[in-house]
Amino acid sequence: MNRLILPFVRIFRFYYDGFSSMSWWGKRVWIIIIIKLFLIFIVLKIFFFPDFLHRKYKTDKQKSEYVLEQLTKSK
Amino acid sequence: MFENADLSLVDWSRAQFALTAIYHWLFVPLTLGLSFIVAIMESIYVKTGNEEWKRITRFWMTLFGINFAIGVATGIILEFEFGTNWSNYSWFVGDIFGAPLAIEGILAFFLESTFVAVMFFGWNKVSKKFHLLSSWLVAIGANLSALWILVANAWMQNPVGMVFNPDTARNEMISFWDVLFNEVAISKFLHTISSGFLLASMFVLGISAYYLLKKREILLARRSILISGVFGLLSSLLVIYTGDSSAKALAKAQPVKFAAFEALYEGKENAGLVAAGILKESDSKIGNTAVNDFAFRIEIPGFLSIMTSGKRDAFVPGIYDLVNGNQSRGIMPVSEKIDRGTKVRNMLEEYKTARKNNDNDKAGMLAATFRDKKFNEENFRYFGYSFFKSPDEAIPNVKVAFYTFHLMVMLGFLFILEFFLAIYFLFRGTLEKQKWFLWVALFSILLPYVAGELGWVLAEMGRQPWIIQDLMPVSAAVSQISSGSVITTFVLFAVLFTLLLVAEVSIMIRQIKTGPKH
């Protein structure tokens, strides 16, 4: 059992030590990364960037019919 | 062109994509190039055991880390925009765009993320050789990530390896290898990554010049200039060579873009390359589009013909030939392409009606025609022209294409000179005395960024009106959403990216002023 867990413990310690002894710039960029990922994946994706076709249509058939309609609309 | 498309919506959607791509490209090239420079420096450290090389490596690795971290995920917004603003396009391209982007995502996550951690946390925890291997894998991984993005982009410039399925209204990949080894993709990938190497070299050279001007970190600066000078000079030469290959590929795949960036209207044999010039609008027009003439130009005789096919007597078609056609040269007029595209569009309409009326025989017959190789080569490849009202819509903005191309090339030659001088002064032992050169090198940090962005403006604006060359114009690709929502997100991005850029530059400047740890 220990043999199975040991590599994971070592990996955890590797990251734990790395993060805990991080330099000034490292801490700053991690704060920026977390804020940025929150803004991109939570705020922008959910509130400002819904998938247009996915929001309008449930099935792939409906989506393809819509796009076909768009592509064959009169000039 | 596409009557139902709201032009302001198309323009804002394009502006938003351009803004996001331009900001994204401020972070990417430094990552591509600096990762290799760091790996080279660390290789010297491991080989020599000299602690000063370790110190130099760790300093540049810190600046690499800041840029890498701030730039992470800025490209993902481009994918959001595909789904929201460019839904017709996203659906139409099907899995062709999805496959390379998925590979890029997996590769970037597993290769870069894993080994970046070893790069930064692994000093004194893993062996020297494993640490060095991690640094090289980060550099290779970052550049391979770029490959898949550029393969996707190259497909838009030169769509190959697919067949259109009218039932799903999507293109389906029939040859992964044709997509991957697309001539435009190979030259674009090599040209783009080598421009990243060049940019990073100028970044290292400029900051090292700053230390020499401040009379501090002299050994670090001299050694860094040696590496960046040699790497930068080789990269600059590679940029010129791959730029030439790109031009050859463009002359075949996007001849109108090629003619536009040389402002070549009348096709000719022994065509000269314009080394520098100023355009002015002439009185003549092609349809509603004004024709540009030269107020002044310096031309290298015959060089454009040599660039396209290696022969001085090769015919290079001009914009007139490509729009109006040139029977003796076998160039089809755009009016004929419009007819062929309209034929495909009418067939698509027929297919839609047949499916609606449950006329399975007719629908099946039409679907089989869309799979036919001859039909694809002779007709479907011109589908996008069916959205045109007049042939001159095929002409991009010639002034933008001409000036972006020529400025980019001029900067390219300036970089060769700078790297050459850096090496020359270093070996003469007079580098610290050349204050003028050190100031030039410091301010030149910005120039490869300008050159890189000019390259992207040329690539993307030079291929207008297409989002997919000959298959789909931008006006047919856009989602029918309100332009107000696009304007809102445009402003949001402008603010977010500017804040990220300010954060990066301020942290970077602070680290540069602090210098490496002693």
Side-chain angles (χ1 to χ4, degrees):
Chain A
M1 190 66 179
N2 275 351
R3 271 189 188 173
L4 280 174
I5 294 171
L6 198 60
F8 293 103
V9 172
R10 287 178 68 184
I11 290 169
F12 174 78
R13 275 194 192 144
F14 177 83
Y15 279 92
Y16 181 81
D17 292 346
F19 280 111
S20 55
S21 60
M22 204 180 268
S23 57
W24 172 87
W25 72 267
K27 285 174 185 154
R28 281 292 160 97
V29 294
W30 268 104
I31 292 168
I32 293 168
I33 288 172
I34 291 164
I35 295 170
K36 180 178 63 177
L37 293 180
F38 173 79
L39 286 174
I40 289 175
F41 287 102
I42 308 295
V43 180
L44 289 176
K45 180 63 188 160
I46 294 174
F47 297 106
F48 295 98
F49 282 95
D51 187 299
F52 178 80
L53 289 176
H54 194 68
R55 193 179 53 175
K56 276 185 92 163
Y57 303 103
K58 292 277 179 283
T59 65
D60 279 359
K61 192 171 185 300
Q62 289 171 322
K63 290 174 190 172
S64 62
E65 276 169 6
Y66 170 78
V67 174
L68 205 57
E69 183 63 38
Q70 292 290 307
L71 295 178
T72 53
K73 263 202 287 203
S74 60
K75 276 197 216 180
Chain B
M1 184 191 291
F2 196 54
E3 208 169 54
N4 302 308
D6 172 2
L7 262 188
S8 69
L9 169 67
V10 175
D11 292 343
W12 275 107
S13 299
R14 284 183 60 203
Q16 189 189 71
F17 200 87
L19 175 87
T20 322
I22 283 172
Y23 265 108
H24 179 55
W25 196 249
L26 290 176
F27 302 108
V28 177
L30 187 60
T31 296
L32 298 182
L34 200 51
S35 56
F36 270 112
I37 292 178
V38 165
I40 292 167
M41 288 170 168
E42 191 177 348
S43 300
I44 299 173
Y45 160 62
V46 171
K47 181 88 180 157
T48 62
N50 183 324
E51 286 297 313
E52 181 62 20
W53 276 110
K54 183 180 180 182
R55 192 169 153 268
I56 294 169
T57 304
R58 292 194 71 161
F59 172 67
W60 293 111
M61 198 178 273
T62 301
L63 301 187
F64 165 80
I66 295 166
N67 181 67
F68 183 85
I70 307 275
V72 158
T74 50
I76 201 89
I77 296 170
L78 295 168
E79 290 183 40
F80 293 172
E81 287 171 24
F82 284 134
T84 306
N85 300 351
W86 304 100
S87 58
N88 291 347
Y89 159 80
S90 295
W91 188 263
F92 185 73
V93 297
D95 59 345
I96 294 166
F97 219 73
L101 294 185
I103 297 172
E104 189 273 333
I106 294 165
L107 204 80
F109 184 78
F110 285 106
L111 199 58
E112 286 178 55
S113 310
T114 311
F115 292 105
V116 161
V118 178
M119 258 176 102
F120 288 96
F121 299 159
W123 291 105
N124 308 322
K125 285 184 183 157
V126 296
S127 71
K128 275 185 189 178
K129 282 186 178 169
F130 184 69
H131 193 278
L132 177 63
L133 178 70
S134 301
S135 299
W136 277 105
L137 287 176
V138 166
I140 293 165
N143 283 272
L144 280 181
S145 292
L147 168 71
W148 299 107
I149 300 288
L150 294 167
V151 162
N153 180 275
W155 185 83
M156 294 160 79
Q157 319 266 350
N158 183 31
V160 288
M162 84 298 180
V163 67
F164 180 70
N165 182 346
D167 194 42
T168 56
R170 308 189 91 162
N171 282 286
E172 292 168 358
M173 195 187 293
I174 52 168
S175 170
F176 174 75
W177 302 111
D178 282 357
V179 174
L180 178 59
F181 294 114
N182 178 352
E183 194 179 357
V184 175
I186 302 297
S187 54
K188 185 177 259 290
F189 170 65
L190 295 173
H191 191 56
T192 308
I193 63 163
S194 53
S195 74
F197 300 165
L198 186 160
L199 180 142
S201 303
M202 194 60 84
F203 177 83
V204 173
L205 175 63
I207 292 167
S208 304
Y210 163 79
Y211 285 136
L212 291 182
L213 284 166
K214 290 277 172 191
K215 295 187 170 47
R216 51 179 286 217
E217 308 298 344
I218 303 295
L219 186 57
L220 175 142
R222 289 178 63 88
R223 286 184 173 179
S224 299
I225 287 173
L226 175 65
I227 300 293
S228 63
V230 174
F231 191 63
L233 185 62
L234 294 174
S235 304
S236 313
L237 296 172
L238 190 61
V239 166
I240 302 283
Y241 177 74
T242 54
D244 178 59
S245 317
S246 283
K248 279 192 176 73
L250 284 190
K252 278 192 227 161
Q254 296 172 303
V256 182
K257 185 202 271 186
F258 186 82
F261 71 61
E262 273 297 294
L264 181 73
Y265 282 88
E266 309 255 9
K268 51 184 140 177
E269 289 173 358
N270 197 13
L273 179 79
V274 178
I278 295 172
L279 293 174
K280 61 168 187 184
E281 264 183 30
S282 74
D283 296 331
S284 49
K285 284 189 169 187
I286 305 175
N288 292 320
T289 308
V291 169
N292 293 286
D293 199 358
F294 282 98
F296 151 83
R297 76 178 132 177
I298 301 168
E299 197 174 277
I300 308 168
F303 207 74
L304 196 63
S305 290
I306 295 170
M307 254 176 87
T308 52
S309 62
K311 292 176 199 156
R312 203 182 167 94
D313 60 353
F315 177 79
V316 182
I319 293 172
Y320 284 127
D321 305 281
L322 294 161
V323 174
N324 301 328
N326 184 333
Q327 209 173 7
S328 63
R329 301 285 175 179
I331 299 170
M332 190 190 292
V334 171
S335 57
E336 170 67 22
K337 292 178 182 176
I338 292 174
D339 289 345
R340 292 188 186 203
T342 306
K343 179 182 158 188
V344 176
R345 205 168 170 200
N346 291 339
M347 281 176 65
L348 209 52
E349 179 72 46
E350 277 179 52
Y351 177 81
K352 197 179 70 179
T353 311
R355 209 172 56 172
K356 201 173 169 184
N357 298 336
N358 289 322
D359 186 349
N360 293 334
D361 288 347
K362 188 167 187 188
M365 191 189 73
L366 287 164
T369 308
F370 274 97
R371 284 193 297 273
D372 181 64
K373 197 177 172 189
K374 195 169 173 232
F375 171 78
N376 273 283
E377 281 168 6
E378 291 179 0
N379 296 290
F380 184 74
R381 62 182 290 197
Y382 304 116
F383 174 59
Y385 289 91
S386 67
F387 297 96
F388 283 13
K389 278 185 179 161
S390 64
D392 61 298
E393 288 181 36
I395 307 170
N397 187 322
V398 172
K399 278 186 179 163
V400 169
F402 178 83
Y403 287 118
T404 50
F405 173 69
H406 286 85
L407 275 172
M408 180 183 70
V409 173
M410 279 178 206
L411 286 170
F413 282 103
L414 175 72
F415 301 144
I416 293 179
L417 180 67
E418 281 194 44
F419 289 124
F420 173 78
L421 285 177
I423 298 167
Y424 176 76
F425 290 140
L426 190 68
F427 279 99
R428 291 276 311 249
T430 59
L431 189 59
E432 284 100 313
K433 290 178 195 160
Q434 311 292 340
K435 300 279 185 221
W436 67 272
F437 178 76
L438 298 176
W439 280 110
V440 168
L442 177 58
F443 285 104
S444 293
I445 290 175
L446 294 175
L447 296 181
Y449 285 95
V450 175
E453 300 292 3
L454 286 172
W456 278 111
V457 172
L458 168 64
E460 300 305 306
M461 283 191 71
R463 72 180 162 107
Q464 289 307 310
W466 304 111
I467 191 163
I468 308 169
Q469 184 72 35
D470 297 347
L471 285 183
M472 185 178 252
V474 284
S475 54
V478 77
S479 306
Q480 297 303 313
I481 53 175
S482 80
S483 49
S485 66
V486 185
I487 296 168
T488 308
T489 45
F490 177 91
V491 175
L492 272 175
F493 282 155
V495 172
L496 174 67
F497 278 116
T498 305
L499 287 174
L500 285 176
L501 194 63
V502 169
E504 161 156 9
V505 172
S506 58
I507 297 173
M508 199 92 88
I509 288 176
R510 184 176 162 152
Q511 279 306 117
I512 292 164
K513 282 185 176 167
T514 306
K517 282 182 183 170
H518 291 277

